[in-house]
Amino acid sequence: RAIRAIYPDILVEQAAGITNAQQVYDFIMAGSDAAGAASGIVNAADPAAMLDEMVHAVRRAADDLQKV
């Protein structure tokens, strides 16, 4: 909110320290437009599964934001 108060058209991305899908969801629900998670994916036991979980978290957040 503080960033958008200064520059309303800016896109906000949280990209540090994201290691699971719940964090992706939480950051988007908190106001981020995106969440970068390169090391969270490549360091996962199953990178493909982690990527799938994170994509689903983005969709779930988008759906939940529509309800608000």
Side-chain angles (χ1 to χ4, degrees), residues 1-13 26-33 65 68:
R1 290 184 195 120
I3 294 168
R4 287 199 175 93
I6 297 167
Y7 187 64
D9 296 328
I10 197 166
L11 295 175
V12 177
E13 176 187 13
D26 292 343
F27 280 115
I28 291 173
M29 293 304 291
S32 291
D33 296 296
L65 286 170
V68 177

